[in-house]
Amino acid sequence: MKTAKINVKDGDLLATLREFFRSILQLDDISAILVPQHLPMKNVVMPTLVTDPEQLNGANPLAPVFPMNAGKIVSRLTRKPTGGKVAVVLRPCEIRAFIELVKLKQGRIEEVVLVGIDCLGAYKNVDYAQMIEKEETEFTSRFYRNVLSGKEMAEQGFDLNPACKACEHPIPSGADILIGLFGVDTNKNLLVQARTPKGEDLYRNLDLSNAEEPPERAAVVEALIAERTAYRDKMFAETTEVTNSVEKLNIYLANCINCYNCRVACPVCYCKECVFVTDVFNHEPIQYLRWANRKGVIKMPTDTVFYHITRLAHMSTACVGCGQCSNACPNNIPVMELFRTVSFRTQKAFEYEPGRSVEDDPPLSVFREDELSDVVGIG
Amino acid sequence: MKKKIGKALVVGAGISGIRAALDLAEFGYGVTLIDRSPHIGGILSQLDYQFPTDHCGMCKMLPLVDRDSSSQYCLRKGLFHENIDIHLSTELASVQGEPGHFQIMLRQKPNLVDPARCIGCGECVKVCPVEIPDSFNAGLSVRKAIYLPVPHAIPNSYIIDTMACTKCGDCEAICPTGAVKILEEVQKDFRILVVDDELILRDSLKEWLQDEGFTVDTAASGPEALDLLSKQAYQLMLTDIKMPGMDGVELLQKAKEDFPDLCVVMMTAYATVETAVEAMKIGALDYFLKPFDPDTLVPIVLRIYQDIEAAKEAPMEVGAIVFCGGTAYFNPADGKNTFGYGVYPNVVTSLEFERILSGTGPSQGRLIRPSDSKPIQKVAWLQCVGSRDIQIDADFCSSICCMYAIKEALVAKEKAEAELEAVIFYMDMRTFGKSFQRYRDRAENEHGIRFQRGRVHTVLQDETSGDLIISHIDYSGACREEVFDMVVLSVGQKPASGTTALSEMVGISLNQWGFGQTQPFSLTQTDQEGILLGGSFSGLKDINESVIQASAAALSASRVIHTAGGSLAPELIPDEPLLDVSKEPPRVMVAVCTCGDLLPKLLDTKQLVRRLEIDPAVNQVVFIEQTCTAEGWENLVDLVEKHKPNRVLIGVCLPYIYERKISELGRQAGLNPALIDVVDIMHIAQSSTLKAETPSTDEISAVNKELLAILGMGVGRLKWADPAPVPSVRIIQKALIVGGGIAGMTSALAIADHGFQVDLVEQEEMLGGNLNWLQRTLEGNSTKTILEETILKVEKHSLIRVHSGSRVLASYGQVGRFYTTIEHKEKGALTVEHGVTILATGGAEATTTSYGYGTDKAIVTQKELEQKLSDKTLEPAQLGSVVMIQCVDSREEPRNYCSRICCATALKHALHFKEENPDIAIYILYRDIMTYGFAETYYTQARKAGVIFIPYHMAEKPEVTTLDGSVQVTAAESIIGQKVQIDADLVVLATGIVSTLPKDLAEAFGVTLDQDGFFEEAEYKWRPVDSLKEGIFACGLTHSPRNITESIATAEAASQRALRILSHEQMPAGKVVAEVHHSLCSLCELCIGACPYGARTLDLDLEKILVNAAMCQGCGSCAAVCPNSASILVGFSDRQMFDVIDFALEGTALD
């Protein structure tokens, strides 16, 4: 693993990062860079695909928001060969989502260089919009200074996404090129690491000077993960308590309106068209009456719990915990909490960590004669 | 649908009979499959577990292509194939005619329970007063005279053991459906005249026969008999021979003059066979010897009755007959040493022990011993009981006992409640099959089964505990005693009962021990053309070998039928085009069988109709009184024709018996049979209130709910059923065979003789493979003759293209359509297209560096010895001492398998040496002599000829030293407990066989190799010559080490498996196959990985997932792994399943 430091001028991380991205884009074999930018026409941060180095002035990968999980965007970009490499700047959960999509043949990893930045977390999309109205330009830099100096992140009554607070993957370990912030003296420099052969190829062309990883980084990261894991486990316990029976689950999901926003927002839900919007669930009118007849009363719309359970069955082993599902829910159902709680169990059952490596086959595509003997009762 | 011109008879419906019948049926012939027992499955129906998986797996024999022609569920339970007629409790009565055109008569035991009416309720068993030992549980439990022959058959109807039945009539009275008819009315019309001068005999015969339902008259003399005959028509006369005045022979003559059709059976008190034979010459049917009792006489009369009845029917014509009659098992009580069997309750046979292991056995699978129900903790298996025993004229090996003993020991260990100790006492552990040696090693090393060499001479019982004390001589010659809870006698084979009579009837030879004899180099051909042997009829075989042999027999049968002109032809009746109902909304007619007046009593029919008709898809609900009767069915057909529904749901009992009727109804109504479904509703009526005359409202409501649930589920499935026709795959009706040895050539001829073109690729310039250097077999048959004959036939065959000096470069494709590039050294490459591939690339003798090979010219391999003997560079006369070392680098890792032929080869050469020069001292150093089957007798001969056999251990292998041109072999001799040194003029090493199937060639065809480099079959036991990839087969040494005859059998089997595909121009897929909704498919390819049959591929150009409908087996793995139902299983769509689940929950509905 090759490690380098790049200098930060005037403590301005964003300027330094933009300069670094420019240097990547100027490399011969990089045809474009995908990076979140403040859009000039509206004060939001969205992924942008940039080929002109001069168009990177709004790049802001540290803004505490990601309106969508860009793993999905990268899969779109790489579904078929294009003949050139694209560098993509992603959060760890986006990288992990993309790796899952690669396994599901929805994207190709060959023509992409994954650039990951230590993730500082994000606010809910709607919260961010309100927060930024007051201090447009300085918000990001105040945010990262606060986070990196360990200050409390709840402000103006807004707190980080629970998904981010429960995330035990702040470090983009699957990236080809990692940009490190935690445990680094970010007033002076940033950490750059080439973690894969592909990353090393790029690194060699970047005119970087080798350096050691700061010795305190490991401890800082460990402490951060411990804190988040504690939050996560508390969240699991609370969620389990309110969902551990069909009756409770019905209440938990009571105000689901079958808008399917969560599945649209979900980066790993990869079906061209969800089975819930196909004819399969276009029930005949007499069917509703038959159901009502059986129980005397049924909640409308039907199939809401069924929908979430199905999505759990299909996708929980691939869930990377990015929290976009909760972000997308118009009725504030804590979808992420349910998914992570269940996913934790299903992923453990298959000893599977989504997004860890393209080499790990998805659980249902692997047949082992002797697996899950305690579940199936033989073995 | 094929018009079945060719027809075959398969006698015996055990594993090999089923395999042969299925092979012939799948090829397109009609098959009559008979068995004298009342169930199919033969011995296998009693055996639950088979090695090496220690499970069953019989269902893997079911058709994989055109699979809708057959039932697709547990084969133990039943078999229904549209080309197979099964007759149980049936024997072959006579055979006449010639190959291709045999006229046969069958004899079926009368069935006193009508299977079409028996609903299996078991009421009859409760009232039957007779209890006798249950043969299914090997006599370890009891059953009634009315009983189920096996616990698992579908349909499982009761039968009556007529010998045990007292005809009390209680079962007939209680049977709710009137299925039992003990006193068959028709038998009353069969009049028997008994003629004897002794009153007592006349009267007792009259009584016995009247008990059977016959009408019997008696006469005291010849004239009286003639008088009666003139007044009344009789079907059968039983007459005494020695009577005052007119004797029996004279009576016979006179009676025959006036009544030539009368059947006469002679009775004589004198065992004067001459008189009886003379009587038979002038027209008597048979004779009985006096005195007789009802147990012997009645069955014979019944048989005559059945034959006479059967003779009224026209004989059936078949082109070929395959005998798969199986074998019987040695009864230890008949032996010179019974080991206490029959006296000590805890000494059981291996078959009895299988039943103790079985969940349907006498102790429901609990391992407890028969004497005191104590959990079994220590068991001994004694091998070779009834085998390898010259004292009882059993100079043969029964081939399967070693493996089943290991399996039983392993299963017992797994099933035992506490730790179980298992010891196998053996002489040679004959682990000669593929994977057997490793199975044995695992049993020994991983599971702690103890293998104790030595023959047990005495088993004694401890009178108080019931434990058994075994005395045996161990390896060192010391006598030892050991105590066991149980002793299992691994019983060997004996010819099946009736084998001699059968062989006389059809004119086939038996070997010296009474088993079916086959022709040299064939495991299946008898001395009568068109009559073939399958399975254990010619000596006990395990499942794998039985299946191979059965397919080989099917091939030979098919060839005879084909040659006689009984080929396949398209159905002449033009198929009415089916109505296209895909554009119509579903209109389901629900037909409910009321089982006479039973159902209306239990049901609120109006409510049922109302609730079903809520669904607009249900057009009408009709009730039919007895759908199982001809009138009932006609009524249904009329209703369908009247209402013209586009889907029909039929609620009846025993749905599986309607398969053929549905196809017929479909044709009549122009409906795809997939749109007609039958559901079982009758268990409701049976289970609930069968006896209640006036059911309560609650009961009626419960029946209504359950009925609605079942019918609703059926409606749901039909309503959404896809009316599209069944897809099919076009077949290129040509074969490619790689390898021109005896196996490849045999296959080529087999396929070409059926009229299909064959490309035969051989890398050498000359055909023949290993037969080019072999001279003769252990049995003394010349290999030259068969080689020359075969090559000549291959080269002259107009349909075989031989590509010698060529190799396969590349191949791609799937079953039905392969494209293979063949390269000739000079002529270059060409591509051939073919529908199937057979790999017959062969094998070779392994090379070695062990035992000083290569250091002295006196150390040779068995192959080299054969060559030296052939070109006379070695003269037996000049040899004083020969040492043969067996298992060189074999049966140990990495080549941990037995090559099967080395022991036979060593014996062949040893016997040859002894014949040429009796003074040669021959020492064979061996681990286990593998003379399985009838080769055992040559082992006996060799010992008699003075060949010295010295066993050696792996830990103490022989040593070979060479010094100044002399070779010395040192070996440990266990009995004298010393090392012996032998000065050898010749050391012969048996190095075994290695496969020469190149890995890249295997990969090109998509087949996998096992860890030893041999072809990996789809399933060792049940699909032994198929690859997992459909359309590719292997035979000969490519498959596994085996001798010439066995190689030929695999070649025939592989050809038969290939022919069942080649015989179709279009191979129909099953009704239940997977499809892809391309508009929904995200191309994630999860389904490709999930498909166990390799039926799915991604077409990169089309950007679509494609399914080969013929390879797809409809298992649904793809549908399960696909998240949005882009992959669907026809007949199991989401909508269908939702409706099924919904109606299944109907029982929870509010009223």
Side-chain angles (χ1 to χ4, degrees), chain B residues 946-968:
Chain B
V947 177
I948 295 173
F949 290 84
I950 304 175
Y952 72 85
H953 286 293
M954 282 301 288
E956 217 172 2
K957 286 188 191 174
E959 281 167 28
V960 178
T961 48
T962 52
L963 191 70
D964 305 331
S966 78
V967 183
Q968 226 173 36

Side-chain angles (χ1 to χ4, degrees), chain B residues 563-580:
Chain B
T563 313
S567 56
L568 307 167
E571 176 92 317
L572 291 176
I573 322 156
D575 269 348
E576 289 284 326
L578 298 176
L579 300 172
D580 179 8

Side-chain angles (χ1 to χ4, degrees), chain B residues 383-384 387 398-406 429 490-492 540:
Chain B
Q383 298 307 103
C384 298
S387 310
S398 296
S399 304
I400 67 162
C401 330
C402 284
M403 294 314 291
Y404 77 57
I406 302 176
M429 222 45 215
S490 294
V491 289
L540 203 47

Side-chain angles (χ1 to χ4, degrees), chain B residues 35 128 144 259 341 406 468 505 582 644 685 694 924 1051 1086:
Chain B
D35 199 296
C128 178
K144 297 294 186 69
F259 313 101
Y341 180 76
I406 302 176
L468 300 161
M505 179 171 75
S582 58
K644 302 209 182 312
T694 46
I924 297 184
L1086 284 179

